PDB file of all heavy atoms in Angstrom:
ATOM      1  N   LEU U  62       0.406   2.240  -0.591  1.00  0.00           N
ATOM      2  CA  LEU U  62       1.108   3.512  -0.729  1.00  0.00           C
ATOM      3  C   LEU U  62       1.022   4.336   0.587  1.00  0.00           C
ATOM      4  O   LEU U  62       2.025   4.900   1.015  1.00  0.00           O
ATOM      5  CB  LEU U  62       0.536   4.325  -1.866  1.00  0.00           C
ATOM      6  CG  LEU U  62       1.263   5.618  -2.148  1.00  0.00           C
ATOM      7  CD1 LEU U  62       2.709   5.367  -2.484  1.00  0.00           C
ATOM      8  CD2 LEU U  62       0.593   6.353  -3.342  1.00  0.00           C
ATOM      9  N   PRO U  66      -4.591   1.918   9.009  1.00  0.00           N
ATOM     10  CA  PRO U  66      -4.804   1.953  10.445  1.00  0.00           C
ATOM     11  C   PRO U  66      -4.673   0.535  11.012  1.00  0.00           C
ATOM     12  O   PRO U  66      -5.093  -0.430  10.402  1.00  0.00           O
ATOM     13  CB  PRO U  66      -6.202   2.515  10.618  1.00  0.00           C
ATOM     14  CG  PRO U  66      -6.884   2.364   9.252  1.00  0.00           C
ATOM     15  CD  PRO U  66      -5.796   2.263   8.278  1.00  0.00           C
ATOM     16  N   PRO U  68      -5.248  -1.562  14.733  1.00  0.00           N
ATOM     17  CA  PRO U  68      -5.826  -1.443  16.086  1.00  0.00           C
ATOM     18  C   PRO U  68      -4.780  -1.464  17.212  1.00  0.00           C
ATOM     19  O   PRO U  68      -3.860  -2.353  17.175  1.00  0.00           O
ATOM     20  CB  PRO U  68      -6.751  -2.584  16.195  1.00  0.00           C
ATOM     21  CG  PRO U  68      -7.072  -3.040  14.818  1.00  0.00           C
ATOM     22  CD  PRO U  68      -5.894  -2.676  14.020  1.00  0.00           C
ATOM     23  N   LEU U  69      -4.812  -0.503  18.091  1.00  0.00           N
ATOM     24  CA  LEU U  69      -3.833  -0.404  19.127  1.00  0.00           C
ATOM     25  C   LEU U  69      -3.794  -1.664  19.958  1.00  0.00           C
ATOM     26  O   LEU U  69      -2.739  -2.113  20.383  1.00  0.00           O
ATOM     27  CB  LEU U  69      -4.201   0.824  20.020  1.00  0.00           C
ATOM     28  CG  LEU U  69      -3.202   1.068  21.206  1.00  0.00           C
ATOM     29  CD1 LEU U  69      -1.779   1.242  20.703  1.00  0.00           C
ATOM     30  CD2 LEU U  69      -3.703   2.224  22.061  1.00  0.00           C
ATOM     31  N   GLN U  73      -0.475  -3.848  20.879  1.00  0.00           N
ATOM     32  CA  GLN U  73       0.008  -4.135  22.206  1.00  0.00           C
ATOM     33  C   GLN U  73       0.082  -5.559  22.515  1.00  0.00           C
ATOM     34  O   GLN U  73       0.959  -6.021  23.205  1.00  0.00           O
ATOM     35  CB  GLN U  73      -0.981  -3.425  23.236  1.00  0.00           C
ATOM     36  CG  GLN U  73      -0.862  -1.955  23.229  1.00  0.00           C
ATOM     37  CD  GLN U  73      -1.974  -1.221  23.992  1.00  0.00           C
ATOM     38  OE1 GLN U  73      -3.109  -1.762  24.160  1.00  0.00           O
ATOM     39  NE2 GLN U  73      -1.670  -0.039  24.492  1.00  0.00           N
ATOM     40  N   ILE U  86      11.313 -19.558  20.234  1.00  0.00           N
ATOM     41  CA  ILE U  86      12.185 -19.729  18.978  1.00  0.00           C
ATOM     42  C   ILE U  86      13.600 -20.051  19.403  1.00  0.00           C
ATOM     43  O   ILE U  86      14.315 -20.922  18.841  1.00  0.00           O
ATOM     44  CB  ILE U  86      12.078 -18.522  18.131  1.00  0.00           C
ATOM     45  CG1 ILE U  86      10.640 -18.477  17.483  1.00  0.00           C
ATOM     46  CG2 ILE U  86      13.081 -18.499  17.008  1.00  0.00           C
ATOM     47  CD1 ILE U  86      10.325 -17.140  16.809  1.00  0.00           C
ATOM     48  N   ILE U  90      15.745 -23.405  18.259  1.00  0.00           N
ATOM     49  CA  ILE U  90      16.906 -23.295  17.355  1.00  0.00           C
ATOM     50  C   ILE U  90      18.202 -23.923  18.049  1.00  0.00           C
ATOM     51  O   ILE U  90      19.131 -24.220  17.409  1.00  0.00           O
ATOM     52  CB  ILE U  90      17.199 -21.916  16.841  1.00  0.00           C
ATOM     53  CG1 ILE U  90      17.536 -20.959  17.886  1.00  0.00           C
ATOM     54  CG2 ILE U  90      16.065 -21.436  15.996  1.00  0.00           C
ATOM     55  CD1 ILE U  90      18.049 -19.643  17.441  1.00  0.00           C
ATOM     56  N   ARG U  91      18.125 -24.032  19.402  1.00  0.00           N
ATOM     57  CA  ARG U  91      19.304 -24.558  20.089  1.00  0.00           C
ATOM     58  C   ARG U  91      19.374 -26.057  19.977  1.00  0.00           C
ATOM     59  O   ARG U  91      20.346 -26.693  20.359  1.00  0.00           O
ATOM     60  CB  ARG U  91      19.248 -24.156  21.528  1.00  0.00           C
ATOM     61  CG  ARG U  91      19.545 -22.669  21.765  1.00  0.00           C
ATOM     62  CD  ARG U  91      19.608 -22.369  23.152  1.00  0.00           C
ATOM     63  NE  ARG U  91      19.854 -20.920  23.296  1.00  0.00           N
ATOM     64  CZ  ARG U  91      19.943 -20.313  24.449  1.00  0.00           C
ATOM     65  NH1 ARG U  91      19.803 -20.955  25.533  1.00  0.00           N
ATOM     66  NH2 ARG U  91      20.202 -19.040  24.479  1.00  0.00           N
ATOM     67  N   LYS U  94      18.307 -31.236  16.310  1.00  0.00           N
ATOM     68  CA  LYS U  94      17.657 -32.556  16.219  1.00  0.00           C
ATOM     69  C   LYS U  94      16.147 -32.468  16.401  1.00  0.00           C
ATOM     70  O   LYS U  94      15.464 -33.120  15.687  1.00  0.00           O
ATOM     71  CB  LYS U  94      18.299 -33.543  17.248  1.00  0.00           C
ATOM     72  CG  LYS U  94      19.742 -33.901  16.950  1.00  0.00           C
ATOM     73  CD  LYS U  94      20.300 -34.752  18.048  1.00  0.00           C
ATOM     74  CE  LYS U  94      21.756 -34.994  17.726  1.00  0.00           C
ATOM     75  NZ  LYS U  94      22.410 -35.777  18.782  1.00  0.00           N
ATOM     76  N   LEU U  95      15.696 -31.591  17.284  1.00  0.00           N
ATOM     77  CA  LEU U  95      14.286 -31.418  17.472  1.00  0.00           C
ATOM     78  C   LEU U  95      13.667 -30.871  16.209  1.00  0.00           C
ATOM     79  O   LEU U  95      12.591 -31.278  15.775  1.00  0.00           O
ATOM     80  CB  LEU U  95      13.985 -30.475  18.649  1.00  0.00           C
ATOM     81  CG  LEU U  95      12.555 -30.094  18.894  1.00  0.00           C
ATOM     82  CD1 LEU U  95      11.732 -31.318  19.207  1.00  0.00           C
ATOM     83  CD2 LEU U  95      12.484 -29.095  20.017  1.00  0.00           C
ATOM     84  N   VAL U  99      10.699 -32.705  14.027  1.00  0.00           N
ATOM     85  CA  VAL U  99       9.414 -32.035  13.775  1.00  0.00           C
ATOM     86  C   VAL U  99       9.126 -31.856  12.252  1.00  0.00           C
ATOM     87  O   VAL U  99       8.047 -32.121  11.794  1.00  0.00           O
ATOM     88  CB  VAL U  99       9.346 -30.667  14.470  1.00  0.00           C
ATOM     89  CG1 VAL U  99       8.084 -29.877  14.054  1.00  0.00           C
ATOM     90  CG2 VAL U  99       9.329 -30.857  15.982  1.00  0.00           C
ATOM     91  N   SER U 102       8.532 -34.995   8.742  1.00  0.00           N
ATOM     92  CA  SER U 102       7.270 -35.479   8.065  1.00  0.00           C
ATOM     93  C   SER U 102       6.946 -34.607   6.892  1.00  0.00           C
ATOM     94  O   SER U 102       6.260 -35.081   5.947  1.00  0.00           O
ATOM     95  CB  SER U 102       6.141 -35.435   9.078  1.00  0.00           C
ATOM     96  OG  SER U 102       5.819 -34.158   9.543  1.00  0.00           O
ATOM     97  N   HIS U 106       6.555 -34.614   1.326  1.00  0.00           N
ATOM     98  CA  HIS U 106       5.747 -33.875   0.424  1.00  0.00           C
ATOM     99  C   HIS U 106       6.343 -32.561  -0.154  1.00  0.00           C
ATOM    100  O   HIS U 106       5.787 -31.939  -1.000  1.00  0.00           O
ATOM    101  CB  HIS U 106       4.373 -33.463   1.114  1.00  0.00           C
ATOM    102  CG  HIS U 106       3.735 -34.660   1.764  1.00  0.00           C
ATOM    103  ND1 HIS U 106       3.093 -35.602   1.059  1.00  0.00           N
ATOM    104  CD2 HIS U 106       3.633 -35.030   3.087  1.00  0.00           C
ATOM    105  CE1 HIS U 106       2.632 -36.527   1.883  1.00  0.00           C
ATOM    106  NE2 HIS U 106       2.916 -36.168   3.083  1.00  0.00           N
ATOM    107  N   ARG U 112      15.536 -30.191   1.102  1.00  0.00           N
ATOM    108  CA  ARG U 112      16.825 -29.522   0.796  1.00  0.00           C
ATOM    109  C   ARG U 112      17.316 -28.654   2.014  1.00  0.00           C
ATOM    110  O   ARG U 112      18.483 -28.618   2.357  1.00  0.00           O
ATOM    111  CB  ARG U 112      16.745 -28.658  -0.465  1.00  0.00           C
ATOM    112  CG  ARG U 112      18.044 -28.035  -0.880  1.00  0.00           C
ATOM    113  CD  ARG U 112      19.047 -29.098  -1.367  1.00  0.00           C
ATOM    114  NE  ARG U 112      20.252 -28.374  -1.606  1.00  0.00           N
ATOM    115  CZ  ARG U 112      21.431 -28.745  -1.167  1.00  0.00           C
ATOM    116  NH1 ARG U 112      21.582 -29.738  -0.360  1.00  0.00           N
ATOM    117  NH2 ARG U 112      22.525 -27.997  -1.435  1.00  0.00           N
ATOM    118  N   LEU U 113      16.382 -27.888   2.578  1.00  0.00           N
ATOM    119  CA  LEU U 113      16.727 -27.058   3.733  1.00  0.00           C
ATOM    120  C   LEU U 113      17.281 -27.919   4.920  1.00  0.00           C
ATOM    121  O   LEU U 113      18.232 -27.547   5.534  1.00  0.00           O
ATOM    122  CB  LEU U 113      15.486 -26.295   4.202  1.00  0.00           C
ATOM    123  CG  LEU U 113      15.024 -25.116   3.339  1.00  0.00           C
ATOM    124  CD1 LEU U 113      13.837 -24.465   3.930  1.00  0.00           C
ATOM    125  CD2 LEU U 113      16.201 -24.085   3.228  1.00  0.00           C
ATOM    126  N   PHE U 120      25.497 -28.320   7.762  1.00  0.00           N
ATOM    127  CA  PHE U 120      26.075 -27.235   8.593  1.00  0.00           C
ATOM    128  C   PHE U 120      26.338 -27.728  10.041  1.00  0.00           C
ATOM    129  O   PHE U 120      27.415 -27.535  10.613  1.00  0.00           O
ATOM    130  CB  PHE U 120      25.123 -26.041   8.581  1.00  0.00           C
ATOM    131  CG  PHE U 120      25.524 -24.988   9.584  1.00  0.00           C
ATOM    132  CD1 PHE U 120      26.535 -24.097   9.245  1.00  0.00           C
ATOM    133  CD2 PHE U 120      25.009 -24.918  10.866  1.00  0.00           C
ATOM    134  CE1 PHE U 120      26.980 -23.097  10.152  1.00  0.00           C
ATOM    135  CE2 PHE U 120      25.428 -23.911  11.752  1.00  0.00           C
ATOM    136  CZ  PHE U 120      26.386 -23.039  11.380  1.00  0.00           C
ATOM    137  N   ASN U 122      26.726 -30.681  11.127  1.00  0.00           N
ATOM    138  CA  ASN U 122      27.768 -31.791  11.209  1.00  0.00           C
ATOM    139  C   ASN U 122      29.180 -31.181  11.049  1.00  0.00           C
ATOM    140  O   ASN U 122      30.051 -31.601  11.730  1.00  0.00           O
ATOM    141  CB  ASN U 122      27.548 -32.840  10.093  1.00  0.00           C
ATOM    142  CG  ASN U 122      26.309 -33.714  10.455  1.00  0.00           C
ATOM    143  OD1 ASN U 122      25.965 -33.915  11.575  1.00  0.00           O
ATOM    144  ND2 ASN U 122      25.767 -34.291   9.397  1.00  0.00           N
ATOM    145  N   ALA U 124      29.845 -28.042  11.908  1.00  0.00           N
ATOM    146  CA  ALA U 124      30.113 -27.086  13.037  1.00  0.00           C
ATOM    147  C   ALA U 124      30.259 -27.751  14.391  1.00  0.00           C
ATOM    148  O   ALA U 124      30.473 -27.086  15.386  1.00  0.00           O
ATOM    149  CB  ALA U 124      28.974 -26.092  13.078  1.00  0.00           C
ATOM    150  N   GLY U 126      32.585 -29.472  15.799  1.00  0.00           N
ATOM    151  CA  GLY U 126      33.872 -29.252  16.416  1.00  0.00           C
ATOM    152  C   GLY U 126      34.309 -27.833  16.581  1.00  0.00           C
ATOM    153  O   GLY U 126      35.314 -27.514  17.115  1.00  0.00           O
ATOM    154  N   VAL U 127      33.525 -26.874  16.107  1.00  0.00           N
ATOM    155  CA  VAL U 127      33.827 -25.453  16.140  1.00  0.00           C
ATOM    156  C   VAL U 127      33.219 -24.829  17.351  1.00  0.00           C
ATOM    157  O   VAL U 127      31.989 -24.925  17.549  1.00  0.00           O
ATOM    158  CB  VAL U 127      33.335 -24.810  14.862  1.00  0.00           C
ATOM    159  CG1 VAL U 127      33.717 -23.264  14.896  1.00  0.00           C
ATOM    160  CG2 VAL U 127      33.952 -25.443  13.640  1.00  0.00           C
TER     161      VAL U 127
END
Side-chain angles (χ1 to χ4, degrees):
L62 185 57
L69 180 60
Q73 290 170 332
I86 291 169
I90 64 170
R91 289 184 181 179
K94 291 178 184 175
L95 174 63
V99 171
S102 62
H106 309 287
R112 182 69 184 128
L113 287 177
F120 173 81
N122 288 335
V127 178

